[in-house]
Amino acid sequence: MENIKEKNQPDSVMQKSVIRLAWPIFVQCLLGMCLGYIDTIMLSNYSDTSVGAVGNANQVLGFLTLAFSIISSATGVVVSQYLGAGKKKEIGKVYTVSIAFNLLLSAVISLIVYLFSRQLLVFMNVPAEMMGDANIYMQIVGGFIFTQAVFDAFDQIFRSNGKTMAGMFLAFAMNILNIAGNFCFLYGPLKFLNLGVTGVAISTSAGRLVVLVIAIVYFRIAIDGKLSLSYLRPFPFDILKRLLRLGLPIAGENISYNMSQIVLSIIVNTMGIVAINTRIYATILCNFAYMYALSMAMATQIQVGHGVGAGDYDFAYKRVLKTMRSAIVISVAIAALNYFVSPFTFRLFTSDVDIIALGSQVMFIAIFLEFGRSTNLVIINSMKAAGDVKFPTVLGIASMWGVSVLLGFLLGIVFDLGLVGVWIAMACDEILRGIVVLIRWLRGTWRGKSVVKSAPLQ
């Protein structure tokens, strides 16, 4: 991991290059995406029914984990601003409240999932032949879901201190542990136990628990500040209010986005198997451009938080515009490359000529979509880092449903443009929001919304 002896001076984070902060986040995002597919891939050679069972269970668990983003997402903003403002004496309270709240919330959710897993799966209309495996996977992984919630809070703390490589190494460790555990239970020395999905669930949960322990140890060694129950007596409601004031809008936007994507999936599901599969393959290929812009946005968010906390708004202003230009150029270039090689890349997934042809059309539209999305990611994440959370949340919810979903239905179904119409609507949504937030950033409306009082500039 990074040099643990390095002191977390606010200016050290601001002086780092965005790329230095961003590339570990990019790798971590890739590893996180892989982690979501590992159980499915390794089970695919074991049992088709098991694949469906785990897929359904993960869909439910994935939605429930959005609740953890209420505090963990706000933690990154508040910690960055506190460090930028030089309030090291108070930072321990922020760490403690964040970890304690996420632990309490996730423990309640873990208990609910364990007790009512079957009812949740029945609500999802999981087929009877998958119910047994899906239920045991939900009970085990869902019962230990608190480990993921607490780890997410630690990950935000590490990032806010500029230690983005820590998250990357921990994500790598989680993948290795999960793969090794799955192999042991499915094909290796523990195969004789014939645990199947149960073994995979144990492997996933154990891997997360081990990585959480490593994260706690790393926190104690490398991060200035400490966790202490004494910070909770009397309870610092002012800090919790700041976290909730930032976290609730951010979580609301994330939930709205996921729900809008579900509705778009429902729309696409009416268009036939060609459109359905094309959307899946196109999304996978587009993720490479998306994750580059996302990692740059997250890295910039850290620096903006420090800059705003220190009262250096000009630094934040210039940093965002510089990153935005870079993100647009690289993301659009990746999207253009995706378009030109799409006749070949889609053949990695299928030999269906209709899917390949439709995929090429979609990837062309994705060039324009990435232009708007890269702008959105950089500016909106930076607005949140500055404490300006309500405007992008309201704008996002309105545009997701009023443009992406509504226009997607009109173009895709009413005007019979199919998947191409849905992708055009998604591009219009991203471009519209990109233009609006860029104007807001240039006007400086986000200034003065910091959640902490700035330290005097030297």
Side-chain angles (χ1 to χ4, degrees):
M1 294 186 186
E2 294 169 283
N3 182 5
I4 60 177
K5 296 182 180 180
E6 179 184 345
K7 295 297 182 181
N8 297 309
Q9 300 295 335
D11 58 344
S12 69
V13 174
M14 293 168 62
Q15 290 169 2
K16 288 182 179 180
S17 69
V18 175
I19 292 295
R20 182 180 173 185
L21 291 170
W23 77 262
I25 298 176
F26 178 79
V27 175
Q28 184 180 354
C29 289
L30 282 176
L31 291 171
M33 183 176 68
C34 291
L35 186 64
Y37 295 126
I38 285 174
D39 289 349
T40 300
I41 292 172
M42 297 191 74
L43 278 168
S44 62
N45 294 321
Y46 180 83
S47 166
D48 290 336
T49 303
S50 297
V51 171
V54 171
N56 278 286
N58 277 328
Q59 189 173 1
V60 177
L61 294 173
F63 187 79
L64 291 174
T65 54
L66 290 174
F68 308 147
S69 65
I70 294 175
I71 292 298
S72 59
S73 57
T75 299
V77 175
V78 175
V79 170
S80 293
Q81 290 192 14
Y82 266 77
L83 290 174
K87 294 181 177 291
K88 290 190 176 182
K89 291 183 179 180
E90 300 178 35
I91 199 69
K93 290 184 179 180
V94 179
Y95 294 156
T96 303
V97 171
S98 174
I99 298 297
F101 188 90
N102 252 21
L103 177 59
L104 178 62
L105 178 63
S106 60
V108 172
I109 293 177
S110 291
L111 182 61
I112 292 173
V113 172
Y114 181 80
L115 294 176
F116 301 102
S117 60
R118 184 171 292 274
Q119 289 85 341
L120 289 169
L121 292 168
V122 169
F123 178 78
M124 288 289 295
N125 290 322
V126 174
E129 63 270 21
M130 297 180 183
M131 183 60 73
D133 282 342
N135 185 53
I136 192 64
Y137 186 89
M138 276 271 287
Q139 285 188 318
I140 296 174
V141 176
F144 281 88
I145 205 170
F146 67 90
T147 58
Q148 184 64 42
V150 178
F151 173 78
D152 287 346
F154 274 115
D155 188 37
Q156 287 294 333
I157 292 171
F158 298 154
R159 288 184 184 180
S160 300
N161 279 272
K163 298 184 178 297
T164 54
M165 289 188 68
M168 180 187 72
F169 281 114
L170 290 170
F172 181 76
M174 195 176 295
N175 275 269
I176 294 299
L177 290 170
N178 198 33
I179 292 172
N182 286 354
F183 176 81
C184 287
F185 281 111
L186 295 177
Y187 313 110
L190 300 179
K191 181 182 178 181
F192 74 95
L193 296 174
N194 197 31
L195 291 179
V197 170
T198 302
V200 169
I202 293 173
S203 170
T204 299
S205 302
R208 288 176 176 175
L209 182 59
V210 170
V211 170
L212 174 58
V213 172
I214 297 173
I216 294 172
V217 173
Y218 182 75
F219 173 87
R220 292 176 61 87
I221 296 173
I223 303 298
D224 287 344
K226 64 178 183 177
L227 301 175
S228 175
L229 291 176
S230 63
Y231 290 137
L232 303 179
R233 299 189 300 268
F235 191 85
F237 286 101
D238 58 326
I239 292 177
L240 180 59
K241 287 178 181 178
R242 290 175 185 178
L243 290 169
L244 291 175
R245 184 166 66 85
L246 290 170
L248 286 171
I250 296 173
E253 183 184 7
N254 290 337
I255 292 172
S256 175
Y257 175 78
N258 279 271
M259 291 181 67
S260 69
Q261 290 301 304
I262 290 173
V263 173
L264 285 175
S265 296
I266 294 172
I267 293 173
V268 173
N269 285 344
T270 67
M271 299 175 182
I273 190 66
V274 170
I276 294 171
N277 286 348
T278 302
R279 181 174 185 263
I280 293 172
Y281 303 146
T283 299
I284 293 173
L285 294 173
C286 287
N287 275 342
F288 290 99
Y290 167 75
M291 278 191 286
Y292 172 82
L294 179 62
S295 60
M296 292 292 286
M298 288 180 173
T300 304
Q301 180 182 28
I302 296 167
Q303 292 190 316
V304 168
H306 279 257
V308 168
D312 195 347
Y313 287 95
D314 289 339
F315 166 83
Y317 177 83
K318 294 175 183 177
R319 170 57 66 196
V320 168
L321 295 181
K322 184 176 180 179
T323 302
M324 183 191 70
R325 289 191 291 267
S326 170
I328 289 174
V329 170
I330 301 299
S331 295
V332 170
I334 295 174
L337 179 63
N338 264 338
Y339 165 66
F340 287 117
V341 301
S342 59
F344 307 100
T345 51
F346 271 84
R347 292 184 186 278
L348 297 174
F349 303 106
T350 181
S351 58
D352 190 316
V353 293
D354 292 330
I355 293 178
I356 296 171
L358 180 58
S360 182
Q361 297 178 55
V362 165
M363 297 310 288
F364 177 74
I365 300 168
I367 298 174
F368 301 94
L369 186 151
E370 292 303 334
F371 183 88
R373 182 155 65 179
S374 56
T375 303
N376 270 327
L377 287 170
V378 174
I379 296 181
I380 289 179
N381 275 277
S382 296
M383 289 170 68
K384 293 173 182 176
D388 186 11
V389 295
K390 292 182 180 179
F391 179 83
T393 298
V394 173
L395 172 66
I397 293 174
S399 187
M400 289 170 198
W401 294 95
V403 179
S404 189
V405 173
L406 179 59
L407 187 60
F409 173 77
L410 291 174
L411 294 178
I413 303 297
V414 178
F415 292 96
D416 201 27
L417 292 179
L419 187 64
V420 170
V422 171
W423 232 263
I424 290 174
M426 291 166 57
C428 289
D429 165 36
E430 297 287 356
I431 292 172
L432 173 63
R433 279 190 286 154
I435 292 172
V436 173
V437 296
L438 175 59
I439 293 173
R440 185 175 178 86
W441 189 261
L442 293 174
R443 286 181 175 177
T445 314
W446 50 276
R447 295 172 184 255
K449 297 183 181 294
S450 174
V451 297
V452 299
K453 292 182 179 180
S454 305
L457 291 174
Q458 301 296 322

